[in-house]
Amino acid sequence: MRETQIEIQTHDRIEEIGAALWDACACPEVTDGGRPFDPFTTYRFLEALEASGSVGRGSGWQPTYLTARLDGEVIACAPLYAKSHSQGEYIFDHNWAHAYENAGGDYYPKLQIAVPFTPATGRRFLTRPGFEEIGASALVQGAIKLAANNGLSSLHVTFCTEDEAEAGVAMGLLRRQTQQFHWENHSYADFDGFLAALSSRKRKTIRKERARAQGFGGTIRTLTGDAIEPEHWDAFWRFYQDTGARKWGTPYLTRAFFDIAQEALRDDIALVLAERDGRWVAGALNFIGREVLYGRYWGYIEDHPCLHFEACYYQAIDFAIAHGLTRVEAGAQGEHKLARGYLPVPCHSLHWVADKGFSEAISRYLEAERRAIDEDIEILTSYGPFRRSQQEEQQ
């Protein structure tokens, strides 16, 4: 029986791989005509980041896509980037970088298997059906070898699935656990059905917030597909710049990304916009998966009470219920989401560090961090807005 030989290649541009080969690994489920489970690992999304200059030269995210080939056929691929900083990752390792450099090492560049600027859980080891185990193993080994051969400090796999995290540990990677807040659709018929599952006090609070937000003096619309027009991106770009300047100093996405989104991604998008006196004043950008609505960005040029909660959280719940989606993932951080029906859930990442001593120190830290995160999730869930019997079921 001959030994299986898998060839690992790196690619500076995703077009070197091509949409058909990439999506055969990233979203094989679309052959039934439906949406991809994960809109962010599709060829069209990653290519939009690259073509718009949001990643690439000067961004700190240098594409180094991996493919694994068996007998010349692509069986797996991964969105791999060489990173010169730790921005836009949402799994924070700045303290690791400081410690590594204080000890005399160069933490950057490092390698990152991730979707840039996107704290959404999804497969990171993209494999064709039937090649899950061998494909993931080849990608991990290939990425580690690439890091080691180039004298890089580390490899990180962020927002991977729980199954991938468990497989990664079996392959010798370090596992990290963080948390987000997600809303789960328990077959609610409508928003009132969701409210009925809450405690009386929380139900009244949300109704007051929605009434206050919707009374801001204008209208709120959710647009998707061909209903989205270029003028809407002009407005949203202003909102996005405001948020980016306040949170990160410089927005991660370029203006060109939104032009490409209009052409290639609008069917994947639910854009919530608030209009007052003939102009758009606030908005929230969501991406639509087969089962999940992913909240990504929010911004405004007029600040109105509770409008943020309405546009980002309640409109997302309305959309998910109306379209039969099972979950809303509202992005990174934010304990304020708890009172609005979004409960804490664990998120996973994997890490390989070249220096043995530093790796052992990180391993001890991660063990303590996981215990703390588990305790936080348990405590925060107990403070959730659901009626006690409902909350016990969700725990």
Side-chain angles (χ1 to χ4, degrees):
M1 184 175 180
R2 71 182 179 86
E3 183 179 351
T4 300
Q5 294 291 332
I6 297 181
E7 178 188 5
I8 299 294
Q9 289 183 290
T10 61
H11 307 265
D12 295 335
R13 302 170 65 188
I14 198 169
E15 71 174 10
E16 294 176 8
I17 305 165
L21 291 178
W22 184 275
D23 284 345
C25 299
C27 53
E29 66 276 3
V30 302
T31 55
D32 67 7
R35 293 184 180 277
F37 285 108
D38 183 352
F40 303 116
T41 53
T42 60
Y43 180 93
R44 59 182 176 269
F45 183 86
L46 295 171
E47 200 276 336
L49 292 178
E50 189 180 328
S52 66
S54 300
V55 301
R57 187 185 298 256
S59 71
W61 292 81
Q62 188 59 44
T64 316
Y65 309 103
L66 281 186
T67 56
R69 295 175 185 265
L70 177 62
D71 295 330
E73 178 185 12
V74 173
I75 62 167
C77 55
L80 178 67
Y81 299 84
K83 291 295 307 296
S84 60
H85 53 61
S86 291
Q87 303 300 318
E89 297 172 12
Y90 302 94
I91 300 292
F92 302 112
D93 64 347
H94 299 89
N95 289 340
W96 300 5
H98 293 156
Y100 200 88
E101 292 170 355
N102 286 340
D106 293 323
Y107 193 72
Y108 305 107
K110 61 178 183 175
L111 292 182
Q112 189 99 10
I113 295 178
V115 177
F117 329 122
T118 307
T121 293
R123 290 191 304 131
R124 295 296 175 258
F125 309 131
L126 310 176
T127 60
R128 294 177 71 111
F131 295 97
E132 289 82 1
E133 185 174 347
I134 191 174
S137 177
L139 292 171
V140 170
Q141 292 180 57
I144 290 175
K145 186 175 182 180
L146 182 64
N149 287 350
N150 287 278
L152 305 186
S153 69
S154 52
L155 164 71
H156 309 266
V157 184
T158 46
F159 292 99
C160 61
T161 67
E162 185 174 6
D163 287 345
E164 288 178 324
E166 292 174 355
V169 170
M171 287 185 268
L173 302 180
L174 302 178
R175 179 177 183 171
R176 188 174 193 183
Q177 182 171 299
T178 53
Q179 71 176 28
Q180 285 185 344
F181 293 84
H182 297 173
W183 178 86
E184 298 286 343
N185 184 359
H186 295 279
S187 301
Y188 301 120
D190 51 29
F191 197 90
D192 282 340
F194 157 61
L195 289 180
L198 307 184
S199 68
S200 175
R201 183 170 60 87
K202 295 298 185 181
R203 186 162 56 242
K204 290 177 181 177
T205 297
I206 289 177
R207 282 177 173 152
K208 287 179 180 178
E209 286 184 347
R210 296 207 78 176
R212 193 173 188 191
Q214 293 174 4
F216 79 106
T219 59
I220 300 171
R221 300 170 59 195
T222 298
L223 309 172
T224 189
D226 291 341
I228 302 174
E229 299 180 357
E231 68 167 283
H232 301 133
W233 293 120
D234 291 337
F236 190 79
W237 172 245
R238 293 195 295 273
F239 309 151
Y240 176 70
Q241 281 186 299
D242 172 77
T243 300
R246 285 186 288 108
K247 284 191 173 183
W248 317 303
T250 302
Y252 292 139
L253 299 175
T254 65
R255 178 64 181 85
F257 175 85
F258 298 100
D259 291 332
I260 295 173
Q262 171 65 16
E263 296 302 317
L265 301 174
R266 64 181 184 270
D267 287 339
D268 300 325
I269 288 171
L271 184 61
V272 179
L273 291 174
E275 182 182 20
R276 192 175 78 90
D277 295 335
R279 68 170 186 159
W280 305 108
V281 299
L285 176 63
N286 305 273
F287 279 80
I288 311 165
R290 179 172 292 211
E291 297 179 350
V292 181
L293 184 69
Y294 301 91
R296 289 304 303 114
Y297 299 108
W298 148 263
Y300 61 88
I301 57 174
E302 289 184 7
D303 188 12
H304 296 277
C306 300
L307 189 56
H308 172 232
F309 301 146
E310 175 66 22
C312 293
Y313 308 135
Y314 303 142
Q315 289 287 324
I317 290 173
D318 277 336
F319 188 93
I321 292 173
H323 292 83
L325 303 179
T326 62
R327 187 167 70 253
V328 178
E329 296 189 13
Q333 305 169 311
E335 291 184 4
H336 60 279
K337 299 167 188 171
L338 184 67
R340 287 149 191 104
Y342 292 71
L343 296 181
V345 298
C347 297
H348 307 280
S349 60
L350 293 164
H351 308 270
W352 173 86
V353 179
D355 184 271
K356 183 178 179 181
F358 198 70
S359 179
E360 291 174 349
I362 289 177
S363 179
R364 292 191 295 270
Y365 166 78
L366 293 180
E367 288 179 11
E369 185 183 48
R370 280 195 299 273
R371 289 194 296 270
I373 292 293
D374 285 339
E375 291 176 2
D376 281 350
I377 289 175
E378 183 176 356
I379 292 169
L380 288 169
T381 300
S382 71
Y383 283 101
F386 293 89
R387 289 184 284 107
R388 182 56 53 190
S389 59
Q390 180 86 10
Q391 198 148 300
E392 288 171 352
E393 290 177 6
Q394 294 180 0
Q395 286 177 312

